[in-house]
Amino acid sequence: IPAREKLDMPIHDGCIGVNISPLMARFAGVQTLDSWIARSASIVESIIQKTGRRVCLVPHVSGSRESYKDHSFLCKVAHLLNGKRAKVFVVPDTLDAAETKWVISKMDLFVGARTHSTIASLSSFVPTLSLGYSLKSRGINQDVYGHTNYCLHGEDITADAVTDTVSQMLSESRSIMEQLRVSIHRM
């Protein structure tokens, strides 16, 4: 697939994909977008520190309004991770939907705020932690997993909560992938 040629670096084995949206600031109990950028950077840094894995920041929405663009938001998050630059990569916003799904499918685990990013991940049998702001994420998780343990909402989206859930999911990743295969094929 041509996505590999569009990336400046190869996707490493063991990589964790992360899609955090600027839209989430409204639901995360922060006062400003800058506060949400800082919290998002602390989430990514915590994932790197606790797991020792690389993080691939995956934009999933682009558009005409700057406040909705994932790529520029994720670049600001990455910029705050000065000491972790070798461990963080922001996927270019030049990929089409199929190429973005291909990137997501190569992750060992995916943390996603945008609903369609989590659908791409779940349908690729990648263990997925949803960062939700609406009932959609809870419903999708209930349908796919049979529970909402892998879904965090609003003010619960903190570095500790995300990292603890990511660590748990990594330790259970084989069984989660098998559960996803069964659930997705059943649908």
Side-chain angles (χ1 to χ4, degrees), residues 38-177:
R39 185 187 302 175
S40 297
S42 72
I43 289 169
V44 173
E45 183 173 25
S46 182
I47 290 170
I48 293 167
Q49 287 177 334
K50 189 154 188 178
T51 67
R53 294 174 182 243
R54 293 177 185 265
V55 170
C56 184
L57 298 175
V58 183
H60 210 267
V61 169
S62 58
S64 58
R65 291 193 354 193
E66 189 64 31
S67 61
Y68 287 102
K69 291 181 183 179
D70 288 355
H71 187 264
S72 58
F73 175 81
L74 292 172
C75 285
K76 291 173 186 173
V77 169
H79 181 74
L80 292 180
L81 299 166
N82 292 330
K84 306 291 185 217
R85 290 281 173 115
K87 292 274 194 174
V88 177
F89 175 69
V90 181
V91 173
D93 61 353
T94 55
L95 303 184
D96 65 26
E99 292 165 335
T100 301
K101 182 174 180 178
W102 177 83
V103 170
I104 291 170
S105 77
K106 298 301 178 191
M107 301 295 114
D108 275 12
L109 187 133
F110 188 74
V111 178
R114 298 289 190 177
T115 300
H116 288 96
S117 74
T118 62
I119 291 170
S121 180
L122 292 164
S123 66
S124 299
F125 315 121
V126 175
T128 304
L129 170 60
S130 298
L131 305 179
Y133 54 87
S134 73
L135 292 176
K136 289 185 293 188
S137 57
R138 286 188 180 120
I140 291 168
N141 275 257
Q142 186 66 47
D143 287 347
V144 172
Y145 290 124
H147 57 75
T148 58
N149 298 347
Y150 306 144
C151 186
L152 297 174
H153 279 267
E155 293 180 20
D156 295 333
I157 302 171
T158 64
D160 287 341
V162 172
T163 305
D164 289 348
T165 307
V166 163
S167 295
Q168 174 194 350
M169 292 178 76
L170 285 171
S171 71
E172 301 169 1
S173 64
R174 288 184 188 213
S175 64
I176 294 171
M177 286 188 292

